[in-house]
Amino acid sequence: MPSILVFDIFGTVVDWHGSIVREVAALYPQVDADAFALAWRAGYQPAMQRVRGGETGWTRLDELHRGILDEILPRFGLQHLDDAERAHLNRVWHRLAPWPDSVAGLTRLKQRFTICSLSNGNIGLLTNMAKRGGLPWDCVLSAEVFRAYKPDPRVYLGAAAVFDVPPAEVMLVAAHHDDLAAARACGLGTAYIERPLEFGAGHVKDVSPVPANQWHARDLVHLAEQLGC
């Protein structure tokens, strides 16, 4: 059994789609908020890949999100937004709401394990999100610490190195099988969390089990139950 649980954040612990849809719908009711949220998120992997591939130097996720936002605004008739409005909207990623089970599940898991974020989000973003949402981390770790984005092995191995433990002492908890596969390749344990509504009720996600994961849970409370917390 691992002693340290590290958590993917976007989609696993917080509801990025629902949070963005609510804010965009409130600020700009003329916009298709569902399509806006999906378009913004669609730019996430390509932006990080430019950093991973060396096309650009290390760039925090806040800046990558802002670049994607500036690109998609004209598509939704929002090219008129000034810098202050764009900056406020970009910080929606700092304000993402936890899934209903997240705080209770993390609180239970914290009784037995060291719990820590391991996200591509930058430290300021993750800290603001935790403060606002009541996420009870023992430690906030970010790709920013390692200057590499998941699935770069430096992130997974770096988490073990931070705590001076072998990779097998660490388990990644995530709602994304590619993230979990990369962690397993580095020797970490893996637990999959079902988040069928990660992309919204109109885009239900397949959450079928993958046998390679040691644990498969409906949510974080269910994971706590399975791990004896």
Side-chain angles (χ1 to χ4, degrees), residues 46-153:
M48 288 190 298
Q49 188 54 42
R50 289 193 288 273
V51 176
R52 292 190 199 105
E55 185 180 330
T56 61
W58 172 254
T59 309
R60 297 185 316 156
L61 192 61
D62 271 342
E63 282 72 51
L64 296 183
H65 277 152
R66 175 60 188 267
I68 302 162
L69 177 64
D70 289 340
E71 286 177 18
I72 68 169
L73 286 176
R75 202 186 314 170
F76 293 92
L78 295 175
Q79 62 272 16
H80 61 279
L81 297 190
D82 63 25
D83 188 68
E85 290 169 315
R86 292 175 187 226
H88 174 74
L89 184 54
N90 197 51
R91 285 179 72 86
V92 69
W93 295 94
H94 293 228
R95 300 187 291 269
L96 302 181
W99 293 106
D101 58 275
S102 289
V103 173
L106 291 173
T107 301
R108 287 176 60 171
L109 290 163
K110 184 183 171 85
Q111 295 170 8
R112 183 172 179 186
F113 302 94
T114 295
I115 63 168
C116 179
S117 64
L118 191 65
S119 171
N120 286 330
N122 44 286
I123 295 169
L125 180 159
L126 295 171
T127 303
N128 291 339
M129 181 194 295
K131 186 75 171 176
R132 188 174 187 275
L135 302 173
W137 302 123
D138 291 311
C139 176
V140 173
L141 279 184
S142 156
E144 184 181 1
V145 174
F146 312 109
R147 298 178 73 83
Y149 281 121
K150 295 188 294 181
D152 190 304

Side-chain angles (χ1 to χ4, degrees), residues 142-206:
S142 156
E144 184 181 1
V145 174
F146 312 109
R147 298 178 73 83
Y149 281 121
K150 295 188 294 181
D152 190 304
R154 286 176 288 177
V155 181
Y156 309 106
L157 296 174
V162 162
F163 293 104
D164 195 23
V165 297
E169 277 290 306
V170 181
M171 182 162 74
L172 177 67
V173 181
H176 309 111
H177 287 302
D178 53 350
D179 196 3
L180 294 166
R184 271 196 309 279
C186 292
L188 278 67
T190 55
Y192 180 74
I193 306 299
E194 295 181 1
R195 297 298 186 194
L197 301 182
E198 178 181 357
F199 297 92
H203 318 275
V204 177
K205 190 172 80 171
D206 179 12

